[in-house]
Amino acid sequence: MTRYSRITGTGSFLPPDLVSNADLVERLAKQGVETSDEWIAGRTGIRVRHFAEPDVCSSDLGLQAAQRALQAAGLSPQDIDLIIVATSTPDMVFPSTACILQNKLGANGCPAFDVQAVCSGFIYALTVADAMIKTGAASRALVIGAEVFSRLLDFKDRTTCVLFGDGAGAVVLEASDTPGILASDLHADGQHVGILCVPGHVSGGLVTGEPMLRMDGQAVFRLAVGVLEETARAVLAKAGKTAADIDWLIPHQANLRIMHGTAKRLKISMEKMIVTVDQHGNTSAASIPLALDFAVRSGKVQKGQTLMLEGVGGGFTWGSVLLTY
Ligand code: UT7
């Protein structure tokens, strides 16, 4: 019998500090940085984002999301035999955020590791978990996207600091006789490292370089629209489906204009796209599982529907997963 993987629970968590565009305009004005709600909402669709308290780490946000996903799946931490955390804002250089989260969750013993593919991280992590379940290496995985991106923001750079937020989303992925994940498609092109990066590292006890998010927004925008269409078409072809089969498109939540552009190119109606970027900002690896959980809990996504998840981000990385929920 063919072994598949299937999402059996979703969860998410947003830190309580809600920062509206108006709040951000006021904060930035104190530093002599000018922006406006009109610019932010008009260019990106973002209206509010959440920022974590200074002592809260990605593992803390991920833990809450994981516990909610486990509850939704009717499982306890001890049932889990694989933990993958997608993050670009790990708690420490090492050990992995997955190991830290595993201990907080009380699921000690199972393999746990991080995946680093920036905003495509959750798509990468879900694909790895699916492959491990299909080979029998795991049966019940927790796949988590968790970020405290506010820590990487340069609040003197208005072209980036208005775009991002903190949060976490998680799914429980279980072995199943029925699909589940239908197909996935992953890519990276390292020649574009410089257009979206945090060019710093730790050396000799010091942070060297420039550990702040730097982005050539227009270059990222142009690449994103093209590759999101390509990967969507590729994953549909792998699964023998067409865009007409998609009930819900759940793209990485970075910019409403990119999301609309992708849906239009694929001829998918805007009503079939899940949008949370207005409420969360860009939460990088957390954005897709956050959007999925909101769609599930609001009753939009129903069992048996076909979902396309797709992400794009630093690296440059991109990819998609097509699944029956
Ligand atoms: O998660 C990874 C994926 N990341 C993304 O998908 C981000 C992709 N890129 C984008 O979403 C867009 O490129 C941005 C939202 C970052 C920028 O939008 P844009 O339409 O490409 O604006 P722009 O960079 O062309 O800037 C237009 C103008 C500039 O002024 P001038 O030179 O025309 O006078 C900027 O200085 O807007 C100005 N500007 C701002 N003005 C007010 C840039 N940031 C701001 C700001 N407030 N926060």
Side-chain angles (χ1 to χ4, degrees):
M1 194 185 292
T2 312
R3 191 175 155 98
Y4 299 98
S5 78
R6 191 163 196 141
I7 293 175
T8 57
T10 66
S12 63
F13 183 75
L14 291 159
D17 185 12
L18 190 67
V19 181
S20 69
N21 288 348
D23 296 333
L24 208 51
V25 169
E26 204 182 309
R27 281 191 203 186
L28 295 182
K30 287 181 189 148
Q31 308 185 102
V33 177
E34 202 185 315
T35 186
S36 66
D37 175 46
E38 293 72 33
W39 192 95
I40 303 168
R43 300 270 175 155
T44 70
I46 299 167
R47 297 190 179 276
V48 290
R49 76 285 292 141
H50 294 247
F51 285 161
E53 296 287 306
D55 60 341
V56 169
C57 299
S58 289
S59 68
D60 299 310
L61 303 180
L63 173 68
Q64 302 275 347
Q67 285 169 333
R68 291 175 184 185
L70 282 171
Q71 194 178 31
L75 296 178
S76 66
Q78 293 72 33
D79 296 322
I80 292 301
D81 60 11
L82 171 67
I83 298 175
I84 308 181
V85 175
T87 187
S88 296
T89 48
D91 294 18
M92 299 184 190
V93 173
F94 72 80
S96 69
T97 302
C99 285
I100 297 168
L101 189 151
Q102 182 205 51
N103 188 44
K104 288 179 178 171
L105 189 63
N108 305 52
C110 70
F113 58 92
D114 288 359
V115 162
Q116 162 59 293
V118 201
C119 303
S120 311
F122 184 76
I123 298 294
Y124 268 66
L126 194 58
T127 301
V128 171
D130 172 52
M132 288 181 72
I133 287 177
K134 281 180 178 152
T135 62
S139 295
R140 284 174 169 168
L142 253 178
V143 186
I144 301 156
E147 302 279 18
V148 283
F149 244 62
S150 58
R151 308 278 155 77
L152 301 175
L153 300 179
D154 175 357
F155 285 95
K156 290 196 170 59
D157 177 9
R158 67 177 185 172
T159 68
T160 55
C161 72
V162 300
L163 304 175
F164 295 89
D166 302 337
V171 301
V172 172
L173 193 70
E174 292 191 63
S176 164
D177 296 341
T178 55
I181 291 186
L182 303 170
S184 58
D185 182 62
L186 298 182
H187 298 274
D189 185 349
Q191 71 177 310
H192 301 296
V193 163
I195 64 171
L196 179 48
C197 59
V198 177
H201 65 281
V202 178
S203 174
L206 297 171
V207 175
T208 62
E210 204 187 6
M212 296 283 202
L213 187 141
R214 298 291 175 230
M215 177 169 76
D216 177 346
Q218 286 190 5
V220 172
F221 195 107
R222 278 193 302 272
L223 266 170
V225 176
V227 298
L228 286 171
E229 180 187 2
E230 272 172 37
T231 186
R233 293 197 188 286
V235 82
L236 284 168
K238 285 182 190 181
K241 303 266 186 196
T242 70
D245 295 314
I246 296 172
D247 292 304
W248 293 104
L249 175 63
I250 310 185
H252 171 48
Q253 310 279 318
N255 185 322
L256 202 52
R257 286 156 55 214
I258 296 177
M259 294 161 66
H260 281 165
T262 309
K264 203 169 157 193
R265 282 167 175 235
L266 295 170
K267 297 195 171 56
I268 294 174
S269 133
M270 301 303 168
E271 281 73 50
K272 289 186 169 184
M273 186 168 68
I274 300 298
V275 176
T276 51
V277 67
D278 54 331
Q279 298 303 311
H280 303 164
N282 181 348
T283 58
S284 191
S287 94
I288 295 169
L290 258 166
L292 171 63
D293 186 52
F294 270 68
V296 167
R297 285 175 196 260
S298 69
K300 283 184 177 172
V301 165
Q302 299 284 329
K303 282 276 169 216
Q305 289 187 325
T306 303
L307 314 185
M308 181 185 285
L309 317 182
E310 54 170 5
V312 59
F316 217 61
T317 56
W318 66 98
S320 52
V321 172
L322 192 73
L323 62 94
T324 305
Y325 180 70

